[in-house]
Amino acid sequence: MPQNRRRFLNTLLSLPLASAIPTVTTLTSTRSLAADDDYRALVCVFLFGGMDCHDTVIPYDEPAWDMYAQLRAPLLQQYQASANANRDREDLLPLNSQGAEPSYALPREMSGLQSLFNQGQAAIVGNVGPLITPVDSSIFSNDKGALPKRLFSHNDQQSTWMAFAPEGAQLGWGGAFSDASIRAGINSDFLSVSIAGNTVFLNGEAANPFQLDASGVPAIELIEIARRQGAPELSSALEAHFAAQGDTSENLFARDFVNISRRALASNETMSRALADTTPPSQNFPQDRLGGQLAQVANTIAARQQLGASRQVFFVALGGFDTHDNQATDLPPLQQSVSDSIAAFFEATVEMGVAQQVTTFTAADFGRTLTINGDGTDHGWGAHHFVVGGAVNGGRIYGSIPPPTLGHAQDAGNGRLIPTTSVEQYAAPLGRWFGLSENDLALALPGLAGFSAQGPAII
């Protein structure tokens, strides 16, 4: 296919109208995934702005806590004065890792995730972030090694987390996982589903995300709105428009657009019928943005058989984590939403009998500095992340969490953590569980070859 036409099609496929339409791919076929009833789903929960990992996975043993409390004394005092939260050691929720004395704890707003961790249904991976090769403070300060581009920039690090390149990247590793499924013969329009708008994370060479909003309205929502408003003539006219009825164009671009539009319309109809004909789980989700998105993921999973989907990758997101100021006020309700929403979603998978077949994981632009700027924190690099599901080797902290001090080997300055686990190493065990072979992983995560360790055994 000529490059200008391929570029045009890729542009079309990034639009909501075309959200579930696979394109032709030249990738080598593989049979590493079985197109059968062995359902698997990955759910990415992206925390836009970069959640403060130091204020989430908190030192609990007394010597480490004392060091932490000394560095963060002004912020802890602001928590004490806040009506929203407290960060006194006795108010924290200990993480009982492997039955040993707790070394870390979560804030009291995150009781749902603490419960899942202590029950063995959740794990934490410490100090994850974009890397090209292993880096420490000496390499970083002397500019000796290859580093990810545009560190500490929101847009660029969001893109690097999702697609291994700064803003402007077009293919994400969630999409690459779906590409592997397509090569194996699992060719559903609902392999990749975003409940948070357009995202590079789900874009593949063959896979393109189907978009829903948190209420279950498909991307071509004008038709659905017209139906709900009792305007059948308008909805019929819109259907005819998107179906391009009577089109006879011989122009390649025009024909491509018509085909995409028609298939998108058909996919939206399929999704609408499947959701209407499926009984959703009865689990009560938090009545907030993230809770609504994860409720819709649960509803879509409940409709998996009607959708013909045996593999799915979902994307949901919550913003507001760029806490340069007012952290003691703004962060606790966000943490509560993350914890309660993920816990409710896990219980919904239990109700549906798919807890072993659904794995949820968090991601974010970056972590934040251990030092504070007055009443908040600044952009960091590495961060700690949660992995939740019935198949997770839970109740453990994987990787390494540096001490709550300054000047250690993984400090890039001001307690900004240099990652010890790359995004590729974090993603690799998720991909293997999803069904990818090592060849699939090499295609999906090309940077994995730069690391001797191929990812923690989180699942």
Side-chain angles (χ1 to χ4, degrees), residues 101-124:
E101 286 296 315
S103 297
Y104 295 94
L106 301 183
R108 66 184 184 185
E109 293 78 25
M110 303 190 82
S111 59
L113 280 173
Q114 185 234 16
S115 178
L116 289 174
F117 183 95
N118 288 347
Q119 293 170 17
Q121 309 295 338
I124 293 169

Side-chain angles (χ1 to χ4, degrees), residues 165-241:
E167 187 175 21
Q170 300 198 3
L171 302 176
W173 56 271
F177 284 9
S178 293
D179 281 343
S181 300
I182 291 171
R183 293 194 302 272
I186 303 173
N187 199 356
S188 166
D189 285 348
F190 310 103
L191 270 169
S192 303
V193 180
S194 174
I195 322 290
N198 192 37
T199 171
V200 68
F201 176 72
L202 293 179
N203 288 341
E205 290 190 16
N208 297 279
F210 184 93
Q211 293 183 36
L212 284 170
D213 68 16
S215 67
V217 177
I220 308 179
E221 57 184 305
L222 289 175
I223 298 172
E224 187 67 22
I225 291 171
R227 288 174 179 162
R228 292 181 180 182
Q229 295 298 319
E233 292 183 359
L234 176 58
S235 67
S236 296
L238 288 168
E239 286 182 14
H241 169 72

Side-chain angles (χ1 to χ4, degrees), residues 210-351:
F210 184 93
Q211 293 183 36
L212 284 170
D213 68 16
S215 67
V217 177
I220 308 179
E221 57 184 305
L222 289 175
I223 298 172
E224 187 67 22
I225 291 171
R227 288 174 179 162
R228 292 181 180 182
Q229 295 298 319
E233 292 183 359
L234 176 58
S235 67
S236 296
L238 288 168
E239 286 182 14
H241 169 72
F242 286 115
Q245 291 178 3
D247 179 80
T248 59
S249 174
E250 295 184 0
N251 181 280
L252 288 177
F253 285 131
R255 283 166 52 192
D256 284 332
F257 186 82
V258 167
N259 288 336
I260 288 170
S261 179
R262 287 171 176 167
R263 294 177 66 183
L265 180 62
S267 295
N268 277 271
E269 288 293 324
T270 299
M271 176 64 80
S272 295
R273 287 196 303 271
L275 293 176
D277 294 342
T278 300
T279 301
S282 61
Q283 179 66 35
N284 290 323
F285 283 81
Q287 297 299 304
D288 59 23
R289 176 172 173 76
L290 185 58
Q293 291 178 64
L294 285 172
Q296 190 52 53
V297 173
N299 294 345
T300 306
I301 290 174
R304 63 193 181 279
Q305 292 181 338
Q306 293 92 320
L307 296 173
S310 61
R311 290 291 188 280
Q312 291 186 287
V313 184
F314 293 92
F315 182 85
V316 301
L318 182 65
F321 291 94
D322 193 24
T323 50
H324 289 285
D325 48 28
N326 297 319
Q327 182 160 317
T329 300
D330 295 344
L331 183 59
L334 293 171
Q335 291 175 321
Q336 179 111 37
S337 176
V338 170
S339 178
D340 290 354
S341 298
I342 291 177
F345 178 69
F346 175 78
E347 291 304 323
T349 66
V350 172
E351 179 185 341

Side-chain angles (χ1 to χ4, degrees), residues 149-165:
K149 295 180 180 179
R150 303 174 195 167
L151 285 170
F152 321 128
S153 155
H154 282 296
N155 291 350
D156 293 301
Q157 293 311 297
Q158 290 162 11
S159 179
T160 301
W161 247 95
M162 297 181 198
F164 309 127

Side-chain angles (χ1 to χ4, degrees), residues 61-143:
D61 67 87
E62 292 198 44
W65 165 261
D66 290 343
M67 291 188 290
Y68 173 83
Q70 182 176 359
L71 275 171
R72 289 209 157 186
L75 186 58
L76 293 177
Q77 290 170 5
Q78 291 164 29
Y79 270 114
Q80 289 174 341
S82 170
N84 290 337
N86 202 331
R87 288 292 189 270
D88 292 338
R89 182 175 179 273
E90 57 268 24
D91 286 327
L92 300 179
L93 305 176
L95 296 171
N96 299 322
S97 180
Q98 294 288 296
E101 286 296 315
S103 297
Y104 295 94
L106 301 183
R108 66 184 184 185
E109 293 78 25
M110 303 190 82
S111 59
L113 280 173
Q114 185 234 16
S115 178
L116 289 174
F117 183 95
N118 288 347
Q119 293 170 17
Q121 309 295 338
I124 293 169
V125 183
N127 199 16
V128 184
L131 287 171
I132 297 172
T133 59
V135 176
D136 61 19
S137 58
S138 175
I139 293 172
F140 178 79
S141 60
N142 293 310
D143 198 21

